[in-house]
Amino acid sequence: MSGAKDRMRHKKMRNQPSNMTYSSSQEFPNGEGSGGSAGQGYSRSQHTKGPSGYGQLQQASGWVRGRQDGPVPRDEVLPKYITASMFAKARAAEVNSMLKAVSKTTGSSHVFGALPKHMRRRAMSHNTKRLPRRLRELADRMLEKSHHAGQKEKKEQSKTKSRRARRRHGNLLLEFNRRQRKNKWLETHIWHAKRFHMLKKWGYCLGERPTYKCYRASYRAMSSGCLLQDMSYYCCLGLWGPEEQLMSALSRLTSKDTGPTFAAVLCVSGQREGNTLLYKADQYPHQPMGPAQFLWRPRNAESSLRQLWIWVHPTIKQELLSELQVVCQCFEAVSPPPSETPVEAGPSDQPSAPASSDLKSEPQHPGKKRKREGDGKEDKPAKKILGDGTRSPMTPVSWRSAENDIVINDLSMEIVRYRLIGPLSHAVLTETLLPATNTEIDIESTSSFWWPQHCKNKDSMSLHKQQADVFQLLKGVNSTSELPAGCVLGLTVDDPRLTLPKKRVTAALDLQAAQDVDEERRRDLTLRGVPAPCAQTALWDQDVRDNVTNNRVLEQEMNKMKRELLVPGSRLPVFPQSRVPILLVHQAGKQQGEERRGWGSGWDLLLPKGWGMAFWVPLVYRGVRVGGLQMSLKHSQNKCLPHFPHEFPDCPAGVRFQEEQEVELLNKFKRRPPAKRTNYIKHGCLAPFRCPWQRLTEEWEKIVKQDGEEGKLQSAEMEGVISQSGEDTPPTSAFTVLRSRKVLRQLSVWSKPSSARNSRVPRGCLPTPLLNTASAMELQAQWRHCLVWVRVCVLGKGLPTLHTMLCVPTAEDLQQLRKDPRSIGPKEPRHKDHLQHLLKRRSKRHKASPQFPASKKDEGTPAAVNKDSSSSSAPKDNQDSVVTSTHPNLSTSISKGAESAVESSSATDLSDSCKEYVRGLWPEPLPSVSSHCSRVTLGWVTQGDFSLATGNGEALGFVSLTGLLHMLLSQPADQRGSVLVRNPTSLQYRYARLHVEA
C-alpha cells in the first residue's frame, strides 16, 4: 500500500472503537476479513487493539480494497455459538463510538460537513435555505454566531407575537411612534406609503412619485384638472410684536431690488400672501439663504400687535431661525408649558415605543410571552403623534427679547398645508368644503368647544357670513388663474367627512351656479380680490387650534355613528366640535414670459394639525390627482421658476444639494463597467456630474479683460486659461445669481431678436437703453461674478438633459442657421483621452523593457502612471492634439508644448489629487471649463426635459453674465439669443433660443 492510501485510511478509521478488529491474510487463508468481532478471529485480546494494531496488521498482510472474488465458506464466516455478554458489550461500545462520531463536527466546524460531497453547494455559506431543513436551524445559529463574534453576547428574546397581534391598533401605534423618532412623518404618511415611492429627505419621509404610471396624467391634471400635494413639510416660523419693530428687523434680510418685501402694502394689510428672497443680515446681494412665503394677520382694532407667518424650506429653517434671533434680538428661550393629556396627544405627550433600555427590570425569558404594553390598569394607552415626533418635550419652541416686545415661535408641523394646482382647484374646494351652518347658539349656555363661544360675538358672525358669500362667488369663476395672485380667504367649515360621497366622483364646474352668481360681484372679485377683512380667521389663535385638535371626532366614532343611522347613507348631524377654521391662499400661475401666462395656478389649504386625513380623503374622493416631489419639480419647471434647492447654487442649501447629487451620480457611474459607460474625456465634458460655476465666472472675466477696449478678444496663451502648474487661482469673490428685477428686464429685452421686440412693456417700467459696448461694460462692472437664470428652447430635434452645456455659436454657425433653419448643427470632434494614452504607453514600455517586466497587477494604476511620467518624458505624437476653439474672437489653439505640459501635469498630479482614478473622468485640477471644446461654454442646464406644453425640448439653467453680454454684442440683431446646446453624452450641437425670464 502506498503512503497516501495508508494515511487516508488511517484518517478515516481514527474515530473507530478500540474493539474493532480486521482480519488479515494470516488469520483467514482466503484473504477474507470477517469485518467484526463476530467471526472466527474474535478473541478477548482483540478488544484492546486500536488504530495502532490495525496498522501493524495492515503492514504485515496488506489491505485489499473492494470486493474480493471467490466464494466465502459459510462455516468460516459465521460462528457456531457466541458469548452473549461479550457480544453485547462489544456492540454497545460500537454504538457509543458511532454516536460520538456522528455528533462530532468536522475540522472546519461547518454544518456542510454533514452532507455528502455531491450535495454541497458554495451558495450554502450565505443562503441557508439551500440546506436541508434538518440542518437549517443549526446553520442559522452558526451564521449568527459568526456575525456577533467578538461582541458581547445579548440574550435573545423570542418573537412570540404573530402578525395579527402585531397589527393590533395598540401595537401598531407603538411601532409607528417608534419609527417617527428619526424622520418626521406627515399626517398623510400611511396613505402615501401604500401608493408612493417614499424618500427620506430633509428629516422627513416624503412621497417622491407614485408607484403607477401617471406622468402625463399629472400634467393634464395641472393643465385642465386638479393636482393635490401635501406641503406640510415646509416649516412655519411665527413672529409676534409691534409692527414698527418687526419691519425694522426684517428689512435687514430682504431687498427691494429682488421684488416685494415684508413691507409690501397689499401684504402688510393681510389681503395677499407675499414671496421674497432672504439674505443674511445686511449682506445683499451676497450670501442668500433662500425663498420664503410670508403672510400677515389682518389688523385688529383691539390690539396694536401684529402677527406674521414665514414659510420656508426645511433645509434653511435653522439658518433663518438664527438670523431672526439676531435681527430681532430674541435670545431668551421660553420654557414649554406643562403637558396635558388630550385625546390626540402632541409630541410632548407621547409615550415613545419601548427601547431595550426602557424595558421592565424583570428578567426576560426566551420562549415565554412577554407582557404586552398597556395590559395593566395603570398603564395609559398609546397616543398618536401629532406634529414633530423627533422633538424632545424640553426643546424650546419660543424665544423672546429683553430689548423689545418681539416673540419668535417655531410652528413647524403645527399647521397642515395642502396645495391644489389646476384650473378646477376652486371647483374641488367648493364641492368639498361647506361653510359652517347652525350659527344660532344659546348665548347663556356654556361649552368647552370654541365655536359656541365664537358665535356669541355678533361681529364674528357677520364676518363669517361675509366670508361664506365670497366663498360662494368662487363657483362663478371659470378658472383659478382669473383671481389676483396671493389673495387670502379665511373661513370656518364643517367637518368634510360628513359630506363624503359614497363613490369617487370628478369635480366639474357648476354652470347653473355660475349663472346665478351676480356678475358685478364676480367681476369685482376677479379684479380686486378678496376684501381685507375676509382674510381674518380663528386659525391664527393658538388656543383655538389646540381646542380643535384635541376635540376632533375620531374616525372610529364617526364610523360607529354611521352604522347606527336609521337610513343608511344619510348625512350625520353636525356636532359642536366639527367646526374647523381654515385659510385659503391663492397661488399664482406662470407670470414670467409671454407664453401660457397663468398656467399652474391654484389654492393652498391651511388646517390645524390633527385634521390632515379628515380633509385629505374627501379631496381625493373629488377626483384629484395626487403628486409628490417629482411633480413639484415639474411644476416649477413648467412655470419657468427656479426650484429650491436645485436651482439655487449660491445658497448653502444649494451647495449641499449639488454635492449630494454629484456623489449620487458618480456612484451610479462607477457601478457600470468601464466598457459600458460614457468616456466623458473623449466627449470633451470636464464635469459631467457638477457645474463649476466659480471657475466659469472667473474665466469669463479673464476673457473679457484680455479683450480690452477694442471689443475683440486677443489671442490668449495657454498659461492664461489653463493652469499648467495645477494650482487653481484663489477666487477674488464668490459668485452670485443676479436677481435684480430691473437688470433682468433689461437683459430680457436685449436677448430678444429685433423681430420680437415689439412686445408690450410692463406698466411703470422705464424704457430700456440700447445694447452697446458702453452699457454692457457698465453693467458688467456693477455686477461681477454673476450668473443669470435663463430658459432655453431647442429649435429642432434634441432633448436637453441634466448638466447640458450651453455654448456660444460661431459666425459660421449663425450663417448656417440663417441658410437652413432646419439645420441640425455642428458636431464636436472627438477628443483624445490622454490619461488612457499614458496608461497604454506605460504598459508598452514595461513590456519592451527586459529589466522591469510589467506585472498585470500594476498595469493601469494611477501610481504606475505617476512613475512612468516622472521617470521619463517621451515626445508626444502629432495625433494627440487637443481640439482647439474655432471662435473668431477667442483663438485658444494649444501648441504641442502646451499639450505635453497638459499630459505631463495630468500624469504627475494623478496620484496626488485623485488617488482613485476613474476611467472616463477628468481628474482634478480641471483645465479651462470655458474654452476646452471647439465652442466656448457659456453655462449649464440644471433641469431639462421634453415639454408637454410646447412639444419640444426645454431646459432651465444658468449662464455667465459677462459671457452673455459678450455673446449678445457679437451676434446680429435678428439672431440675438441664439445658442448651442450639447448633452454630456453626445458630440452633436443643436440650435436653441435663449430667454431671460423677468
Side-chain angles (χ1 to χ4, degrees):
M1 180 186 296
S2 63
K5 291 184 179 181
D6 187 11
R7 289 191 298 271
M8 181 180 62
R9 187 63 185 175
H10 179 69
K11 183 178 180 181
K12 288 183 178 180
M13 304 304 297
R14 61 184 176 183
N15 292 328
Q16 294 299 327
S18 58
N19 63 334
M20 294 292 296
T21 57
Y22 295 91
S23 60
S24 61
S25 57
Q26 296 178 357
E27 298 178 359
F28 299 93
N30 55 356
E32 299 292 338
S34 61
S37 57
Q40 288 183 353
Y42 175 84
S43 63
R44 190 174 185 87
S45 62
Q46 291 176 352
H47 285 283
T48 60
K49 292 182 180 181
S52 59
Y54 153 73
Q56 295 174 1
L57 292 175
Q58 186 178 1
Q59 293 177 0
S61 59
W63 182 265
V64 181
R65 300 183 63 182
R67 183 175 178 178
Q68 305 298 324
D69 298 333
V72 179
R74 185 176 301 274
D75 54 353
E76 294 183 2
V77 176
L78 297 178
K80 295 183 179 180
Y81 60 91
I82 60 174
T83 305
S85 58
M86 299 299 296
F87 184 83
K89 187 176 181 180
R91 299 290 80 73
E94 292 176 3
V95 170
N96 291 334
S97 62
M98 181 185 64
L99 294 177
K100 182 180 179 181
V102 171
S103 60
K104 185 179 181 181
T105 58
T106 59
S108 59
S109 300
H110 286 171
V111 184
F112 320 120
L115 293 174
K117 288 186 177 181
H118 71 278
M119 291 182 63
R120 300 177 187 178
R121 298 293 184 269
R122 185 181 300 151
M124 293 178 179
S125 59
H126 58 82
N127 188 3
T128 57
K129 291 186 178 180
R130 290 183 175 270
L131 285 167
R133 292 184 178 180
R134 59 185 178 85
L135 300 176
R136 290 179 188 175
E137 184 178 359
L138 181 60
D140 291 337
R141 290 199 302 265
M142 294 180 63
L143 186 63
E144 185 178 0
K145 185 178 180 181
S146 63
H147 289 335
H148 297 283
Q151 300 179 2
K152 186 177 181 180
E153 296 184 0
K154 297 182 179 179
K155 186 174 294 185
E156 181 184 2
Q157 296 181 357
S158 61
K159 299 180 180 179
T160 57
K161 292 183 179 179
S162 62
R163 186 181 186 277
R164 182 177 180 181
R166 294 195 306 268
R167 299 293 296 180
R168 289 192 186 118
H169 178 71
N171 297 335
L172 200 60
L173 195 58
L174 287 174
E175 177 66 16
F176 289 164
N177 293 348
R178 181 191 63 81
R179 289 161 60 182
Q180 295 184 57
R181 290 180 178 178
K182 188 175 182 181
N183 295 286
K184 293 182 279 291
W185 284 10
L186 306 182
E187 294 188 14
T188 57
H189 173 83
I190 302 298
W191 191 94
H192 279 89
K194 297 178 180 179
R195 301 165 177 87
F196 275 66
H197 294 284
M198 304 304 292
L199 185 66
K200 293 181 179 179
K201 205 170 187 179
W202 309 316
Y204 291 84
C205 285
L206 305 175
E208 183 183 14
R209 65 187 187 279
T211 55
Y212 50 89
K213 295 181 180 180
C214 64
Y215 179 78
R216 290 179 176 266
S218 299
Y219 174 79
R220 288 194 298 267
M222 291 187 289
S223 302
S224 58
C226 181
L227 182 77
L228 177 63
Q229 291 179 323
D230 191 355
M231 308 294 294
S232 303
Y233 61 91
Y234 267 70
C235 301
C236 179
L237 298 177
L239 277 76
W240 183 84
E243 182 176 344
E244 296 79 9
Q245 297 179 5
L246 291 175
M247 291 293 186
S248 176
L250 296 175
S251 62
R252 302 174 58 187
L253 304 178
T254 58
S255 176
K256 294 181 180 179
D257 293 343
T258 61
T261 62
F262 292 102
V265 178
L266 291 177
C267 298
V268 172
S269 63
Q271 188 178 1
R272 304 285 178 86
E273 184 189 41
N275 298 274
T276 186
L277 191 69
L278 302 176
Y279 289 83
K280 293 279 188 179
D282 305 325
Q283 295 295 327
Y284 175 80
H286 303 284
Q287 299 185 14
M289 290 188 292
Q293 296 175 305
F294 62 92
L295 181 62
W296 287 91
R297 183 176 185 177
R299 292 184 176 91
N300 190 359
E302 300 177 358
S303 176
S304 60
L305 301 179
R306 298 297 303 274
Q307 193 172 354
L308 173 67
W309 283 348
I310 303 177
W311 298 82
V312 294
H313 197 269
T315 55
I316 62 174
K317 171 193 168 183
Q318 294 298 332
E319 187 178 5
L320 176 60
L321 186 59
S322 301
E323 288 296 321
L324 289 176
Q325 290 177 352
V326 171
V327 298
C328 299
Q329 300 179 1
C330 297
F331 301 102
E332 183 179 351
V334 180
S335 58
S339 60
E340 300 176 358
T341 311
V343 177
E344 293 286 333
S348 59
D349 308 320
Q350 293 305 319
S352 56
S356 58
S357 59
D358 300 334
L359 295 175
K360 297 183 179 180
S361 57
E362 59 185 29
Q364 300 290 341
H365 302 285
K368 294 185 179 181
K369 282 192 175 183
R370 299 190 302 271
K371 184 178 180 181
R372 187 161 61 93
E373 298 294 335
D375 288 345
K377 297 181 180 180
E378 298 180 357
D379 296 338
K380 297 181 180 179
K383 305 296 181 181
K384 181 180 179 180
I385 291 181
L386 297 178
D388 190 355
T390 62
R391 181 186 299 164
S392 173
M394 303 307 298
T395 303
V397 295
S398 181
W399 297 266
R400 60 188 178 188
S401 173
E403 305 284 336
N404 48 48
D405 300 331
I406 299 178
V407 179
I408 301 176
N409 296 317
D410 185 4
L411 302 178
S412 302
M413 301 291 291
E414 293 293 317
I415 301 175
V416 179
R417 184 160 189 158
Y418 295 154
R419 177 161 296 174
L420 291 88
I421 305 172
L424 296 182
S425 299
H426 66 288
V428 173
L429 290 175
T430 53
E431 289 189 14
T432 306
L433 306 179
L434 184 65
T437 56
N438 299 334
T439 57
E440 293 79 7
I441 303 295
D442 188 5
I443 300 179
E444 299 180 357
S445 62
T446 59
S447 176
S448 59
F449 306 123
W450 77 278
W451 178 250
Q453 303 296 331
H454 186 76
C455 292
K456 295 178 181 180
N457 192 342
K458 295 183 179 180
D459 296 338
S460 301
M461 288 297 97
S462 176
L463 179 61
H464 173 70
K465 292 181 180 180
Q466 186 179 358
Q467 293 172 342
D469 294 341
V470 174
F471 184 73
Q472 293 298 328
L473 288 176
L474 292 178
K475 296 182 179 180
V477 180
N478 296 328
S479 177
T480 312
S481 58
E482 298 181 9
L483 298 172
C487 58
V488 181
L489 175 62
L491 197 63
T492 301
V493 298
D494 291 336
D495 193 339
R497 294 176 294 179
L498 302 177
T499 58
L500 185 68
K502 296 181 180 179
K503 296 182 179 179
R504 184 170 180 174
V505 297
T506 302
L509 293 175
D510 191 354
L511 300 180
Q512 183 64 29
Q515 295 177 359
D516 298 340
V517 173
D518 188 2
E519 185 66 21
E520 183 177 357
R521 296 181 58 192
R522 187 191 67 84
R523 187 183 301 109
D524 184 71
L525 177 64
T526 56
L527 293 178
R528 300 183 181 180
V530 180
C534 294
Q536 186 65 261
T537 177
L539 189 66
W540 289 94
D541 298 331
Q542 178 69 34
D543 297 336
V544 175
R545 294 200 305 267
D546 295 341
N547 189 288
V548 174
T549 300
N550 299 336
N551 297 307
R552 183 178 67 90
V553 179
L554 300 180
E555 195 71 26
Q556 181 180 5
E557 300 176 3
M558 185 77 68
N559 295 334
K560 182 179 179 181
M561 288 183 289
K562 288 182 179 180
R563 289 196 303 266
E564 295 176 355
L565 288 174
L566 296 178
V567 180
S570 59
R571 180 181 174 181
L572 289 172
V574 181
F575 314 109
Q577 63 271 34
S578 61
R579 269 74 175 204
V580 187
I582 66 171
L583 199 62
L584 297 176
V585 181
H586 183 267
Q587 293 297 320
K590 186 177 183 294
Q591 294 180 323
Q592 299 177 349
E594 299 178 359
E595 307 92 359
R596 300 178 290 115
R597 293 185 66 89
W599 185 93
S601 59
W603 288 91
D604 278 10
L605 176 61
L606 276 65
L607 311 167
K609 71 175 182 180
W611 287 85
M613 288 304 298
F615 280 78
W616 182 268
V617 174
L619 289 173
V620 172
Y621 265 65
R622 263 66 184 190
V624 300
R625 177 76 61 174
V626 182
L629 296 178
Q630 184 187 36
M631 281 299 109
S632 297
L633 182 62
K634 295 303 176 183
H635 179 240
S636 301
Q637 180 180 353
N638 291 326
K639 288 176 62 177
C640 300
L641 290 177
H643 188 74
F644 189 85
H646 300 64
E647 279 78 42
F648 285 79
D650 55 341
C651 298
V655 174
R656 291 192 297 267
F657 172 80
Q658 187 176 3
E659 294 174 354
E660 295 173 359
Q661 187 183 55
E662 181 184 4
V663 172
E664 180 181 356
L665 294 177
L666 182 59
N667 293 335
K668 184 179 179 180
F669 179 78
K670 290 181 179 179
R671 285 196 295 266
R672 298 178 63 87
K676 301 299 181 183
R677 61 193 184 197
T678 306
N679 190 332
Y680 291 104
I681 299 180
K682 294 184 178 181
H683 284 73
C685 183
L686 297 178
F689 306 137
R690 61 184 177 92
C691 302
W693 302 114
Q694 185 69 30
R695 290 281 303 273
L696 180 69
T697 55
E698 291 175 1
E699 290 180 6
W700 269 108
E701 293 286 343
K702 294 180 181 179
I703 293 173
V704 175
K705 186 176 181 180
Q706 293 172 1
D707 184 14
E709 299 179 357
E710 299 178 359
K712 295 182 180 180
L713 294 174
Q714 305 296 333
S715 58
E717 298 180 357
M718 193 62 190
E719 293 81 10
V721 182
I722 302 179
S723 179
Q724 297 184 6
S725 60
E727 298 178 0
D728 296 336
T729 305
T732 56
S733 62
F735 72 93
T736 58
V737 176
L738 180 61
R739 296 185 176 94
S740 175
R741 293 287 185 90
K742 179 181 177 180
V743 180
L744 288 176
R745 282 193 295 265
Q746 187 174 350
L747 291 175
S748 178
V749 176
W750 287 352
S751 61
K752 294 179 181 178
S754 57
S755 59
R757 293 188 181 180
N758 54 356
S759 58
R760 61 182 181 88
V761 179
R763 181 185 301 178
C765 297
L766 299 176
T768 305
L770 297 177
L771 175 62
N772 49 39
T773 305
S775 59
M777 294 298 293
E778 180 183 358
L779 188 61
Q780 176 188 344
Q782 183 181 2
W783 302 93
R784 300 189 58 188
H785 300 283
C786 282
L787 301 175
V788 182
W789 170 259
V790 296
R791 177 171 63 94
V792 180
C793 300
V794 181
L795 298 181
K797 296 174 60 178
L799 181 63
T801 58
L802 182 65
H803 299 158
T804 294
M805 290 174 283
L806 304 177
C807 303
V808 180
T810 62
E812 293 79 6
D813 299 336
L814 296 178
Q815 292 178 3
Q816 180 66 23
L817 179 61
R818 189 188 301 274
K819 293 179 181 179
D820 185 9
R822 296 186 178 181
S823 176
I824 299 178
K827 193 172 183 178
E828 175 75 15
R830 186 176 294 273
H831 292 229
K832 185 71 175 180
D833 190 353
H834 301 280
L835 301 178
Q836 185 177 5
H837 179 69
L838 292 175
L839 295 178
K840 292 182 179 179
R841 182 180 299 174
R842 186 259 178 194
S843 60
K844 290 180 181 179
R845 289 178 181 175
H846 276 271
K847 288 181 180 179
S849 176
Q851 298 179 358
F852 304 99
S855 60
K856 295 183 179 181
K857 183 175 66 175
D858 296 338
E859 288 183 3
T861 59
V865 177
N866 189 20
K867 292 178 182 178
D868 176 64
S869 59
S870 60
S871 60
S872 62
S873 58
K876 305 293 184 297
D877 299 334
N878 296 332
Q879 300 177 355
D880 300 341
S881 59
V882 190
V883 178
T884 60
S885 175
T886 59
H887 198 276
N889 298 329
L890 186 65
S891 58
T892 56
S893 58
I894 305 175
S895 61
K896 295 181 181 180
E899 172 196 343
S900 303
V902 171
E903 290 190 0
S904 61
S905 62
S906 301
T908 304
D909 299 334
L910 191 59
S911 61
D912 299 336
S913 60
C914 185
K915 296 182 179 180
E916 184 181 356
Y917 167 60
V918 181
R919 288 182 58 183
L921 296 180
W922 269 95
E924 295 289 346
L926 299 177
S928 174
V929 297
S930 59
S931 57
H932 179 68
C933 301
S934 61
R935 304 301 187 273
V936 185
T937 303
L938 188 64
W940 290 281
V941 168
T942 54
Q943 55 172 311
D945 200 354
F946 181 81
S947 175
L948 297 176
T950 60
N952 58 359
E954 280 193 357
L956 301 174
F958 293 93
V959 297
S960 172
L961 174 61
T962 307
L964 178 62
L965 294 174
H966 182 271
M967 183 191 72
L968 295 177
L969 287 172
S970 63
Q971 289 181 344
D974 59 340
Q975 287 186 323
R976 284 180 179 171
S978 300
V979 295
L980 294 174
V981 297
R982 183 167 71 90
N983 290 339
T985 58
S986 174
L987 296 173
Q988 181 67 50
Y989 289 97
R990 298 191 183 274
Y991 294 104
R993 182 72 64 186
L994 181 143
H995 303 272
V996 178
E997 301 293 348

